[in-house]
Structure formats: C-alpha cells, structure tokens
Amino acid sequence: MNRIFLILVFFFSLISCNSHKIEKPSIDPKVKSRLDSLQNTAVFTTKNVINNKMLITKVYHDAGGTWQFFDDQSTNSSENVMVVGFGQIVQRDSSVIKLLDMPLSHFAERKMLNEDWKINPFTETE
C-alpha cells in the first residue's frame, strides 16, 4: 500500500512539474535581428573552446569585421584554430550577445564566467 502511495505521489509531482513551463527570457527585437543576421557568419575560435568547452576569455572584432573567440590557455597556432558559425559560439556562451555592438578594432576580455566583459580598442599590427 505504501509503495502504491509513493508511486502516485511521484506521478502527480511529475505532472505538476511539467505543467509549469519555464519561459526563456525575452530578447530585445533589435538584438534578436542582429543575432539572426550573424548566426551563420564564419568566426575564428580555438579547439579548446569548441571541443573542450573552455571559457571564452577574449573576443576580438577586427577592422575587417571578423570575430575571434579565444580561451586563456590556447596558443594562436594554426593547428589550434577552428572556423565555426557565430551561432555555435552563442550556443556555447550566450554572454557574447552583450558584445554584438562592439566596434571594429576592439576586443573584450574577462577572467571568469560571471565577470563583466571589459571592452578596449586595439591596434592591429601586421
């Protein structure tokens, strides 16, 4: 009898949990439009960011409009670089949405996940 009671309690708790769906936070329509336009844009990142799920700590938006997303441990060698879609980066770390309006020739950096991005200009050297 106790076993049946526990099963029924479990069953009804599942039903009540599923009836309250959690809604995703709404995104400003302008930001959503910008994000949609960048979804399939090719960007550079590291294998550690994609394959090893390392934290993105630096983001560059160079003078040509190219985006680059780096972790703090990878080298800039050609063996470590990957080209992926911007949408793939957003799926890995949605905080990069805050950088959509970062001007060209600027970079953003942080040390930890919950830290705010610090944006600074940079000079590109050849």
Side-chain angles (χ1 to χ4, degrees):
M1 184 74 169
N2 285 339
R3 186 179 240 178
I4 293 172
F5 177 74
L6 289 174
I7 291 171
L8 287 173
V9 168
F10 177 74
F11 176 75
F12 286 113
S13 67
L14 283 177
I15 291 172
S16 65
C17 286
N18 288 333
S19 67
H20 301 291
K21 293 185 179 180
I22 298 172
E23 293 184 27
K24 293 181 181 178
S26 60
I27 297 177
D28 179 271
K30 290 179 187 175
V31 172
K32 183 170 180 358
S33 174
R34 175 96 166 102
L35 188 56
D36 288 346
S37 71
L38 287 172
Q39 280 294 352
N40 296 316
T41 299
V43 301
F44 293 100
T45 191
T46 65
K47 291 180 181 177
N48 278 336
V49 166
I50 299 300
N51 298 336
N52 300 329
K53 300 187 183 338
M54 290 190 72
L55 177 67
I56 297 169
T57 56
K58 287 191 179 164
V59 178
Y60 291 87
H61 195 198
D62 69 25
T66 301
W67 291 91
Q68 302 170 41
F69 300 87
F70 296 100
D71 60 88
D72 64 350
Q73 295 183 8
S74 296
T75 61
N76 219 1
S77 68
S78 60
E79 304 88 47
N80 192 39
V81 173
M82 292 182 72
V83 177
V84 298
F86 195 96
Q88 216 175 331
I89 295 293
V90 172
Q91 285 177 344
R92 273 279 305 113
D93 183 349
S94 63
S95 76
V96 300
I97 292 172
K98 297 175 184 174
L99 303 174
L100 288 176
D101 291 327
M102 185 165 65
L104 299 178
S105 298
H106 280 68
F107 74 99
E109 63 183 339
R110 65 178 177 187
K111 293 191 186 324
M112 298 185 317
L113 180 63
N114 294 327
E115 190 175 317
D116 288 337
W117 289 101
K118 293 178 181 85
I119 300 174
N120 296 295
F122 72 92
T123 305
E124 296 182 54
T125 56
E126 296 191 28

